[in-house]
């Protein structure tokens, strides 16, 4: 009798502990969600007041009411148009080589591990790489193309890994079918494998590009400037970018600049949200299952 | 007879044409893999480039400042010729430790809830929302730390400096939380259901299943996610540059203003540092120190997930 009540009590305690911990887990997770909510609330609260058409059209200025994000937006767009073809070409080619052509040997494994390790290198180290090679060694200086090349290398591993996954998901059957119909290896890749894996490749590439748009540290190192009063007109122009402007405004002591930084962040986040939505849309729309 | 000949001729022509086409195919078939290989080598060259850059400039730096002075010195004030990197390392470790204290419990708890308690529907909603946190640019987190978290903390601790390690550390923690949560959740999800059901059938509660079955089975994935997140925190730049300050204090007091390895690289590269000066080369010596830290962490994470993986 006594052991029975003992085990019932024990049972009850175990069930209660289980419930308590469930709520502890929910509570901890809510903290992360709360942080996100506060972050968004804070930024809207700070930035919405300064967000207007003039802010989008004006160049940087010494007075907060005259300053705008136009040079930053255009700089980021130019960067994106340079980064996308460079990094996607190299990234997809690397993935194709690794998945379709490479023999399963030590050299292939080395490239693979190398790509994985590159993905873990802090972005600021890529900035140092760009500073030595592109800015000084290739004497490109603090120019748009030096920034674009640095950022392309930064997001390269992300694109390689995403493309590899997309290419791997194309089933062996349709490759074999194509070869059996007399197509050569490259014809099969170009006409069968690539079209089938394009949605995955695009999704990964857009996500990688949105990372490049938000990156600040490497651009600071390779010399994106804050006070830029023109739009880049060649590859060797000086340039700025949205995160650089935001960083610059954030570090100024007067409160008015903080509002501008908030407004800039809203624009940046909207652009990132758009890019991510497009990526998700592509994934859902074109994802074909075999 | 005439038609016969004509036909013969056209067949011959077709064969010839086919042959010439084939040689075009053959060249493409040979050139394309070469081109792809060249592209694949770019990623290797990038790594070599990083190592070359860091080593070459550091070697120049260490011809001015001895290794012992750099790694054993306790004063960092490059503009007055004091190059002891220890304060920067201490600052980096302090911020990373605070970030880990924030991210570890929240990240693991979120992963457990999402993987073991939440319904499929709420998991599908909550996980992407958490991952939004991972996609927010770090300059935005820096803004958040400086203009929101610091003032709130100053309300609680009046001695807190405007630039301090605490605020930066907490926000870095928020940034790496989704990394731990998402990767750990993947690891827990990969534990097969029959283990869960077996334990439940023996009368274990969900918490006991999680604690005694799921976490041990997914441990390699969980630890790897934590190590990767810590490595991310070590290399984080913008949050600490904006919110933690630029005063290389040798302190483990989170209320103080500090400087991290990454923040110094930004300061050194943007200030009026001339190319070829000792300060310029010191950026690379600091960079290679940071690189060694994060590289070791990444290798460690890969080792754990390979060595201790439980396959079911």
């Amino acid at each position: 009798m006594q052991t029975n009540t003992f085990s019932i009590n024990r049972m009850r305690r175990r069930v209660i502990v289980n419930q308590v911990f469930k709520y502890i887990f929910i509570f901890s997770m809510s903290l992360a969600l709360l942080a996100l909510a506060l972050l968004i609330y804070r930024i809207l609260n700070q930035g919405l007041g300064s967000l207007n058409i003039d802010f989008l059209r004006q160049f940087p200025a010494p007075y907060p009411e005259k300053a705008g994000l136009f040079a930053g937006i255009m700089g980021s767009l130019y960067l994106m148009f340079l980064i996308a073809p460079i990094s996607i070409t190299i990234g997809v080619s690397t993935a194709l080589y690794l998945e379709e052509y490479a023999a399963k040997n030590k050299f292939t494994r080395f490239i693979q591990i190398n790509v994985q390790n590159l993905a873990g290198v802090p972005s600021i180290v890529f900035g140092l790489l760009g500073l030595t090679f592109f800015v000084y060694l290739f004497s490109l200086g603090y120019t748009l193309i030096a920034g674009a090349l640095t950022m392309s290398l930064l997001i390269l591993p992300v694109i390689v890994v995403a493309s590899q996954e997309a290419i791997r998901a194309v089933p062996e059957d349709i490759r074999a079918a194509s070869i059996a119909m007399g197509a050569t290896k490259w014809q099969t890749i170009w006409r069968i494998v690539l079209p089938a894996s394009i949605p995955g490749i695009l999704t990964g590439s857009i996500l990688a590009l949105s990372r490049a748009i938000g990156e600040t540290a490497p651009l600071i190192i390779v010399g994106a400037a804050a006070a830029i009063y023109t739009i880049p007109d060649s590859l060797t122009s000086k340039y700025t970018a949205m995160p650089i402007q935001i960083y610059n405004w954030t570090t100024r002591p007067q409160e008015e600049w903080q509002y501008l930084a908030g407004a800039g962040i809203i624009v940046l986040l909207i652009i990132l949200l758009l890019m991510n939505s497009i990526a998700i849309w592509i994934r859902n729309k074109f994802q074909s299952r075999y | 007879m005439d038609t016969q000949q004509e036909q013969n001729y056209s067949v011959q022509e077709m064969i010839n044409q086919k042959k010439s086409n084939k040689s075009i195919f053959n060249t493409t078939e040979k050139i394309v893999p070469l081109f792809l290989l060249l592209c694949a080598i770019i990623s290797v060259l990038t790594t070599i480039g990083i190592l070359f850059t860091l080593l070459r400039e550091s070697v120049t730096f260490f011809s001015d400042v001895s290794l012992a002075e750099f790694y054993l010195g306790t004063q960092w004030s490059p503009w007055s010729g004091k190059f002891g990197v220890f304060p920067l390392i201490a600052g980096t470790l302090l911020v990373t430790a605070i970030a880990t204290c924030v991210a570890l419990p929240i990240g693991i708890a979120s992963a457990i809830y999402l993987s073991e308690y939440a319904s499929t529907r709420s998991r599908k909603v909550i996980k992407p929302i958490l991952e939004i946190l991972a996609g927010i640019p770090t300059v935005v987190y820096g803004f958040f730390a400086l203009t929101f978290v610091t003032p709130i903390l100053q309300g609680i601790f009046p001695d807190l400096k405007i630039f301090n390690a605490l605020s930066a550390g907490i926000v870095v923690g928020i940034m790496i939380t989704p990394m731990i949560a998402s990767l750990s959740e993947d690891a827990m999800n990969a534990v097969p259901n029959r283990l869960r059901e077996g334990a439940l059938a023996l009368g274990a509660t969900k918490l006991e299943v999680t604690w005694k079955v799921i976490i041990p089975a997914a441990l390699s994935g969980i630890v790897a996610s934590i190590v990767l997140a810590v490595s991310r925190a070590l290399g984080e730049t913008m949050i600490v540059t904006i919110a933690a300050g630029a005063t290389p204090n040798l302190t483990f007091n989170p209320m103080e203003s500090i400087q991290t390895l990454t923040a110094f690289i930004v300061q050194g590269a943007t200030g009026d540092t001339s190319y070829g000066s000792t300060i310029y080369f010191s950026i690379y010596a600091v960079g290679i120190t940071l690189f060694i830290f994060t590289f070791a962490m990444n290798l460690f994470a890969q080792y754990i997930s390979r060595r201790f993986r439980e396959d079911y």
Side-chain angles (χ1 to χ4, degrees):
Chain A
M1 217 41 217
Q2 219 176 357
T3 41
N4 213 355
T5 38
F6 175 71
S7 72
I8 286 177
N9 277 341
R10 213 184 119 150
M11 181 88 168
R12 193 171 289 146
R13 206 176 64 226
R14 283 167 57 204
V15 172
I16 290 173
V17 168
N18 181 42
Q19 278 302 315
V20 169
F21 265 87
K22 180 182 171 184
Y23 288 110
I24 292 179
F25 294 146
I26 294 182
F27 173 74
S28 314
M29 191 181 62
S30 321
L31 285 181
L33 297 176
L34 178 73
L36 178 64
L38 279 176
L39 181 94
I40 292 173
Y41 163 77
R42 174 65 179 175
I43 285 157
L44 289 179
N45 186 24
Q46 290 261 307
L48 272 184
S50 310
L51 188 64
N52 51 41
I53 289 293
D54 282 341
F55 176 72
L56 296 177
R57 281 198 314 216
Q58 283 163 343
F59 282 100
Y63 311 102
E65 61 274 17
K66 286 238 168 86
L69 194 63
F70 188 62
I73 296 174
M74 295 312 284
S76 285
L77 281 181
Y78 277 76
L79 274 176
M80 192 158 56
F81 284 124
L82 286 172
I83 296 168
I86 300 172
S87 60
I88 294 176
T89 314
I90 302 176
V92 175
S93 302
T94 306
L96 277 179
Y97 175 78
L98 288 174
E99 288 301 312
E100 301 287 333
Y101 284 99
K104 293 263 168 295
N105 57 20
K106 277 195 173 159
F107 179 65
T108 311
R109 251 181 69 79
F110 170 69
I111 299 182
Q112 189 70 60
I113 290 175
N114 174 58
V115 168
Q116 273 172 24
N117 280 325
L118 269 186
V121 173
S123 59
I124 193 155
V125 174
F126 279 91
L128 291 178
L129 172 76
L131 183 67
T132 311
F133 272 89
F134 302 132
V135 175
Y136 290 123
L137 219 59
F138 297 172
S139 46
L140 292 170
Y142 293 147
T143 56
L144 187 62
I145 185 70
L149 288 173
T150 307
M151 296 303 256
S152 302
L153 291 184
L154 174 69
I155 63 169
L156 185 61
V158 187
I159 295 182
V160 173
V161 172
S163 308
Q164 272 188 293
E165 270 166 24
I167 293 167
R168 219 176 291 146
V170 179
E172 209 49 53
D173 311 7
I174 67 167
R175 282 195 186 86
S178 165
I179 300 277
M181 298 296 281
T184 61
K185 184 155 195 176
W186 175 243
Q187 283 174 326
T188 304
I189 292 171
W190 186 247
R191 297 186 191 162
I192 306 291
V193 177
L194 266 185
S197 51
I198 271 286
I201 292 175
L202 270 184
T203 307
S205 303
I206 294 174
L207 291 180
L209 276 179
S210 69
R211 177 164 171 217
I213 291 299
E215 270 294 348
T216 322
L219 281 183
I220 294 182
I221 305 295
V222 295
I228 292 292
Y229 307 101
T230 51
I231 293 171
D233 53 5
S234 77
L235 290 180
T236 51
S237 300
K238 295 209 161 294
Y239 66 107
T240 183
M242 280 187 284
I244 301 288
Q245 296 290 335
I246 293 167
Y247 168 59
N248 183 269
W249 292 330
T250 303
T251 49
R252 295 191 193 193
Q254 299 88 347
E255 208 169 339
E256 292 80 18
W257 292 107
Q258 314 276 316
Y259 299 139
L260 275 191
I265 289 172
I266 294 176
V267 177
L268 179 64
L269 289 184
I270 288 175
I271 291 177
L272 289 180
L273 194 68
L274 272 178
M275 291 176 69
N276 281 280
S277 315
I278 293 173
I280 292 168
W281 181 76
I282 291 177
R283 187 167 60 195
N284 294 339
K285 171 106 180 158
F286 296 104
Q287 200 165 44
S288 46
R289 300 201 175 275
Y290 296 99
Chain B
M1 195 59 187
D2 255 12
T3 41
Q4 182 78 42
Q5 229 171 10
E6 217 166 70
Q7 249 175 17
N8 268 344
Y9 179 68
S10 69
V11 166
Q12 191 63 46
E13 204 172 47
M14 277 166 72
I15 290 172
N16 285 341
Q17 202 180 351
K18 185 84 183 167
K19 268 188 184 159
S20 70
N21 270 350
K22 211 167 195 172
S23 77
I24 294 178
F25 287 150
N26 278 340
T27 1
T28 331
E29 290 300 316
K30 273 181 198 140
I31 289 175
V32 164
L34 269 182
F35 172 75
L36 298 183
L37 176 63
L38 279 181
C39 288
I41 286 176
I42 289 182
S43 75
V44 179
L45 287 182
T46 309
T47 308
I48 296 174
I50 287 175
L51 291 175
F52 172 78
T53 303
L54 294 177
L55 283 173
R56 194 187 72 160
E57 314 288 42
S58 299
V59 163
T60 319
F61 173 77
F62 286 123
S63 66
D64 276 1
V65 178
S66 72
L67 261 174
E69 190 188 338
F70 187 67
Y71 282 111
L72 299 176
T74 52
Q75 262 196 314
W76 182 265
S77 47
W79 280 270
S80 44
K82 293 216 168 67
F83 293 98
V85 80
F86 203 69
L88 297 184
I89 294 180
T92 304
L93 293 182
L94 180 59
V95 168
T96 307
I98 297 170
T100 312
C101 289
V102 172
L104 194 63
I106 298 181
I108 299 287
S110 310
I112 292 176
Y113 177 74
L114 287 174
S115 156
E116 302 304 318
Y117 289 86
S119 65
T120 321
R121 237 176 84 200
S122 43
R123 174 164 59 223
K124 268 195 169 162
V125 177
I126 297 174
K127 208 179 171 191
I129 295 180
L130 272 183
E131 279 168 357
I132 292 178
L133 275 175
I136 290 177
T138 51
V139 68
V140 177
Y141 279 116
F143 174 84
F144 183 64
L146 182 64
T147 68
F148 186 70
V149 178
T150 300
I152 288 182
L153 290 174
Q154 275 178 324
I156 305 171
F157 311 105
D159 312 338
L160 197 72
K161 303 260 169 50
I162 293 178
F163 299 108
N164 61 80
L166 184 61
S167 165
I170 290 174
V171 176
V172 172
I174 295 174
M175 182 196 79
I176 61 173
T177 297
M179 210 169 157
I180 296 182
S182 184
L183 293 177
S184 298
E185 203 257 349
D186 289 344
M188 291 182 194
N189 239 343
V191 177
N193 246 341
R194 55 173 198 271
L195 291 189
R196 265 182 209 102
E197 282 155 4
L200 286 171
L202 288 172
T205 63
K206 268 197 170 170
L207 179 69
E208 287 159 354
V209 173
T210 306
W211 191 244
K212 291 175 180 160
V213 177
I214 306 297
I215 291 188
L219 198 60
S220 73
I222 295 173
V223 174
S225 82
I226 296 168
V227 176
L228 283 180
V230 169
S231 150
R232 190 64 204 282
L234 287 172
E236 169 42 40
T237 309
M238 292 322 293
I239 301 175
V240 289
T241 304
I242 293 172
T247 30
N249 283 327
L250 181 52
T251 173
F252 284 102
N253 179 2
M255 311 285 212
E256 292 287 324
S257 169
I258 49 118
Q259 188 169 39
T260 64
L261 294 165
T262 49
F264 171 73
I265 298 177
V266 170
Q267 190 195 14
T270 50
D272 34 30
T273 320
S274 53
Y275 177 74
S277 63
T278 311
I279 294 177
Y280 171 82
F281 290 120
S282 77
I283 300 172
Y284 291 88
V286 171
I288 201 167
T289 312
L290 173 71
F291 181 78
I292 291 170
F293 266 104
T294 56
F295 189 65
M297 297 296 270
N298 290 339
L299 284 187
F300 184 50
Q302 281 166 24
Y303 170 75
I304 290 171
S305 55
R306 254 205 319 273
R307 176 74 179 72
F308 297 101
R309 174 150 46 208
E310 307 254 351
D311 275 323
Y312 295 103

